[in-house]
Amino acid sequence: MKDTDVMMNQAAVVLKLLGDKTRLTMLKILDVHDCCVCEFVEVFTMSQPSISQHLRKLKDVGLIQEERKGQWIFYSMNKNSVHYTLIRPLLEQLPNQSYKIKELERSGKRILCC
Amino acid sequence: MKDTDVMMNQAAVVLKLLGDKTRLTMLKILDVHDCCVCEFVEVFTMSQPSISQHLRKLKDVGLIQEERKGQWIFYSMNKNSVHYTLIRPLLEQLPNQSYKIKELERSGKRILCC
DNA sequence: TAACTATATAATAATATACTTATATATACA
DNA sequence: TGTATATATAAGTATATTATTATATAGTTA
């Protein structure tokens, strides 16, 4: 298969991941804030396994990375990912989602660890 | 629902459409070349109804537009679409697909109409 | 060590997606 | 007007996706 086909395939795979409201919002948030799973469970009204599965998909393509901090596993944007260049201009055009994190802080549910 | 949620939803819908290799390639091509259905049938090894259905999805969100020219219906990028701003920087990063159109021309299958 | 919290994985079910074939529609042209 | 060509739509099927519940794993702390 041609090089360019491989690139088109990879772009399609990444864009399919962004084509889900939950994951898209996660990425917009992670572009600014590191977050752990239980925070996302609060932000999205969704079960913990569902959140875990979304995060796994993003991790599997290398868009995000995880780091354990004590009890929690924090996810962050992998800005060195080969795909970050592709999605960055996209994320820039999306409305800021930091208010969701501020709401967490207000309700005392933001995890400030270590 | 919040304004920003509506925007995130819409972005996710558009990105899901781009998250398919065939449609992504169609858009990259249509960004430069107008094409009719039968040309896409040649470019992608895929049935005519399948091509039609992909084009319809892109048309339904306003990303592309159609124009009948005699026997053929030509599709083109709708650069005035509210979503074009979102996807343009993306398309720019994809490898050029014009060689697919050049192959059509070489094999005499490019439709040069009106 | 036991109990608790956070996260991941497995199994499953409902729904969505992307093809296919068959058929309808619209234009072109002999 | 009849036939051919281009496209759209309908119906059906296989597969993918996204959620759920149940359970496993790993770290924390009493």
Side-chain angles (χ1 to χ4, degrees), chain B residues 38 48-49 52 56 72 75:
Chain B
C38 62
Q48 173 268 317
S52 267
R56 186 141 117 83
W72 299 278
Y75 285 87

Side-chain angles (χ1 to χ4, degrees), chain A residues 23 47 49-50 53-54 57 70:
Chain A
R23 284 191 299 261
S47 69
S50 194
Q53 285 158 14
H54 282 303
K57 288 179 184 180

Side-chain angles (χ1 to χ4, degrees), chain B residues 19 24-25 33 54 59-61 77 79-80 84 91 111 114:
Chain B
L24 188 62
T25 307
H33 312 274
H54 282 303
K59 198 187 67 174
D60 282 350
V61 299
M77 184 70 76
K79 300 197 175 182
N80 297 315
Y84 186 62
L91 295 180
I111 309 286
C114 309

